[in-house]
Amino acid sequence: MNNEWPLWEIFIRGQHGLSHRHVGSLHAPDAEMAIKNARDVYTRRNEGVSIWVVEAKHIAATAPGDKGPLYEPSESKVYRHPTFFDIPDEVGSM
Amino acid sequence: MYAQMVKTASSGVKSREEMSEQERVFQDKIDADIKIEPRDWMPDDYRATLVRQIGQHAHSEVVGQLPEGNWITRAPTLERKAILLAKVQDEAGHGLYLYSAAETLGVSRDQLIEDLLAGRMKYSSIFNYPTLNWADMGAVGWLVDGAAIINQVALQRTSYGPYSRAMVRICKEESFHARQGYHIMMKMAAGSVAQKQMAQDALNRLWFPVLMMFGPSDKDSVHTAQSMAWKIKMDTNDELRQKFVDQTVQQIEYLGLELPEPGIKWNDETGEYDYSDPDWSEFFNVIKGNGPGNVDRMKARRAAWDDGEWVRDGLMAHARKKAAAKVAAE
Ligand SMILES: [Fe+2]
Ligand SMILES: [Fe+2]
């Protein structure tokens, strides 16, 4: 049997209340050990206040070739940005 | 460097006309400094060369723990011991970041480790030199990590995303390594005559082996052109070596130590320091496996891998059992 420990992706919430962010990967036999290892590897200098671990095989991702169909539609919708609308200064802040 | 003489898998740099459409798109991205990500198309040779380079870099981080690990139990104070322990622990982390980057290219970490243990992959020549006394802990942190920093700072701009991100993370941790080493040297150089002599001896002994870390001189480096076109090598060996010499001379002078060899002289014309070439036959001999420490290092790595097998297997068996019990309970 292949006994290589599975790969986990590690997400850490930094000090400042931001979202968890992907910081890297590591191998561990299970989630508990993945968290322990993540603590040792990715938070040795106060980088985080919370850790998420996800086994890499459970992550679904877009394929590089999907880029066009996925993101091009939003390029033509400039009205989604507030700067699209000219509002007179007299109105005050909006 | 940490990856020396990585053989580029390529038959030479192709002209645009010789490239396929896919290769042209790929090269255009690299030229425009757009990172290549794991699932993007890439030439097989790019992938193969990166696996070799990142793998060798990872092995160097791990084997590089041995010469310093050798002195953890004999550090002169509890504080120095804690610092050295933290430094060596960082290097284990560096190995992990790099193995992870290599794995995104489709190799497994276990496979890379087996390639190292079977002698199919290498690690940096520098770690085949022994660390004889506490002054060597100073010189290694200062010079070896100092040289590594020069290489790794440049590699932060490398074209392969995961490798570049690993370098950014590593560089953040490295200056602690160089500084703690220099701090040891400062203490010893300002200490008793015998301590200063130890510091000088460590500098003299490690100087040429450290220069060798940057790899053979440009005129003997056959793999440079393609790797530079792919941006997996950012500067030539001699450019990086020169940078190292120029920054280190000043640091030697501050310590009040003698220069390690008489060839180091300021050159007004070039605006750089001249220096003597290392004995390249020694370098090639160490690479071949005949350095003072090669046998011991590999023995230590093999023992760690073999002796740890029951732990790896045991934890995996436990995890499988727990997962099965959870399924049964649901
Ligand atoms: Fe390192
Ligand atoms: Fe280091």
Side-chain angles (χ1 to χ4, degrees):
Chain A
M1 191 181 303
N2 174 20
N3 267 342
E4 185 167 24
W5 290 352
L7 189 68
W8 299 75
E9 299 300 335
I10 312 302
F11 300 81
I12 296 208
R13 187 203 299 287
Q15 300 286 351
H16 308 293
L18 301 173
S19 309
H20 286 75
R21 215 172 66 107
H22 182 243
V23 293
S25 340
L26 51 77
H27 288 268
D30 56 24
E32 190 188 332
M33 285 300 294
I35 288 177
K36 286 190 172 133
N37 290 348
R39 197 275 314 261
D40 286 347
V41 179
Y42 292 111
T43 66
R44 287 201 304 282
R45 290 178 174 82
N46 289 324
E47 289 97 334
V49 293
S50 165
I51 299 173
W52 287 353
V53 301
V54 184
E55 205 178 328
K57 68 173 183 207
H58 295 311
I59 292 184
T62 58
D66 297 341
K67 224 176 174 163
L70 282 179
Y71 310 119
E72 262 159 31
S74 78
E75 278 170 24
S76 58
K77 296 174 181 62
V78 283
Y79 45 80
R80 283 176 170 165
H81 298 276
T83 46
F84 179 76
F85 306 94
D86 270 329
I87 302 290
D89 286 348
E90 296 92 291
V91 178
S93 70
M94 182 176 278
Chain B
M1 183 26 59
Y2 273 24
Q4 296 156 323
M5 296 188 64
V6 174
K7 196 173 165 305
T8 307
S10 146
S11 36
V13 185
K14 285 187 185 169
S15 69
R16 281 193 79 77
E17 291 70 44
E18 292 167 315
M19 287 180 190
S20 68
E21 182 53 29
Q22 264 178 325
E23 288 172 323
R24 263 195 296 271
V25 171
F26 173 81
Q27 189 63 49
D28 285 346
K29 271 166 92 177
I30 288 181
D31 293 343
D33 284 328
I34 297 170
K35 299 279 183 237
I36 308 301
E37 295 297 342
R39 301 179 69 195
D40 292 342
W41 183 88
M42 61 187 84
D44 292 343
D45 287 348
Y46 175 84
R47 185 187 298 274
T49 308
L50 268 177
V51 168
R52 267 183 221 149
Q53 178 170 333
I54 301 174
Q56 197 181 115
H57 198 152
H59 297 325
S60 299
E61 301 286 351
V62 173
V63 178
Q65 294 178 102
L66 296 170
E68 288 174 303
N70 183 31
W71 282 90
I72 291 173
T73 55
R74 291 174 285 170
T77 67
L78 188 56
E79 187 184 56
R80 288 286 184 205
K81 182 175 179 166
I83 292 169
L84 186 58
L85 200 54
K87 196 262 185 203
V88 172
Q89 190 190 12
D90 275 356
E91 304 301 0
H94 296 180
L96 171 68
Y97 308 154
L98 285 157
Y99 284 127
S100 299
E103 286 180 281
T104 64
L105 293 159
V107 282
S108 80
R109 184 173 70 181
D110 283 8
Q111 184 58 53
L112 290 170
I113 291 171
E114 271 154 27
D115 283 348
L116 172 72
L117 298 183
R120 289 187 293 270
M121 288 185 83
K122 303 217 176 299
Y123 54 89
S124 176
S125 57
I126 188 68
F127 302 120
N128 290 313
Y129 291 85
T131 45
L132 303 179
N133 56 48
W134 182 251
D136 286 12
M137 292 303 94
V140 165
W142 167 37
L143 300 171
V144 175
D145 290 70
I149 289 169
I150 287 185
N151 177 254
Q152 294 176 150
V153 163
L155 280 174
Q156 290 181 100
R157 291 179 287 115
T158 190
S159 61
Y160 188 55
Y163 192 24
S164 158
R165 292 189 284 275
M167 285 297 113
V168 170
R169 184 166 273 282
I170 285 175
C171 285
K172 275 193 200 143
E173 301 182 350
E174 282 292 357
S175 62
F176 148 55
H177 299 178
R179 281 167 172 240
Q180 62 86 34
Y182 194 69
H183 197 254
I184 292 173
M185 294 301 273
M186 279 166 57
K187 276 272 184 247
M188 296 201 73
S192 67
V193 175
Q195 283 173 315
K196 189 169 181 181
Q197 189 45 51
M198 279 170 75
Q200 182 72 57
D201 166 68
L203 166 61
N204 293 355
R205 243 181 319 107
L206 285 165
W207 178 256
F208 283 121
V210 167
L211 290 191
M212 293 176 198
M213 286 174 70
F214 297 95
S217 121
D218 290 351
K219 57 181 192 309
D220 301 317
S221 252
V222 273
H223 312 304
T224 301
Q226 179 63 77
S227 284
M228 287 187 83
W230 281 335
K231 294 192 185 164
I232 58 181
K233 187 171 181 142
M234 305 306 291
D235 304 270
T236 71
N237 297 349
D238 285 340
E239 283 165 2
L240 293 171
R241 190 166 16 244
Q242 183 70 52
K243 210 169 175 185
F244 173 79
V245 172
D246 289 341
Q247 86 172 31
T248 305
V249 169
Q250 191 187 346
Q251 297 165 356
I252 296 172
E253 283 166 352
Y254 180 83
L255 292 173
L257 297 180
E258 306 283 331
L259 294 174
E261 57 99 359
I264 302 176
K265 283 196 188 81
W266 178 254
N267 183 329
D268 253 334
E269 246 162 71
T270 58
E272 299 169 332
Y273 284 94
D274 292 337
Y275 58 90
S276 309
D277 266 339
D279 174 359
W280 289 117
S281 64
E282 175 182 322
F283 170 74
F284 289 112
N285 203 32
V286 173
I287 290 272
K288 261 193 233 134
N290 305 322
N294 299 58
V295 172
D296 282 351
R297 300 294 186 232
M298 288 306 290
K299 222 165 93 187
R301 285 313 306 150
R302 243 175 245 125
W305 186 244
D306 293 345
D307 297 350
E309 189 176 9
W310 69 273
V311 179
R312 295 193 301 275
D313 289 355
L315 285 174
M316 202 60 231
H318 175 68
R320 284 197 187 105
K321 210 165 117 186
K322 248 185 10 189
K326 203 178 156 208
V327 170
E330 271 165 8

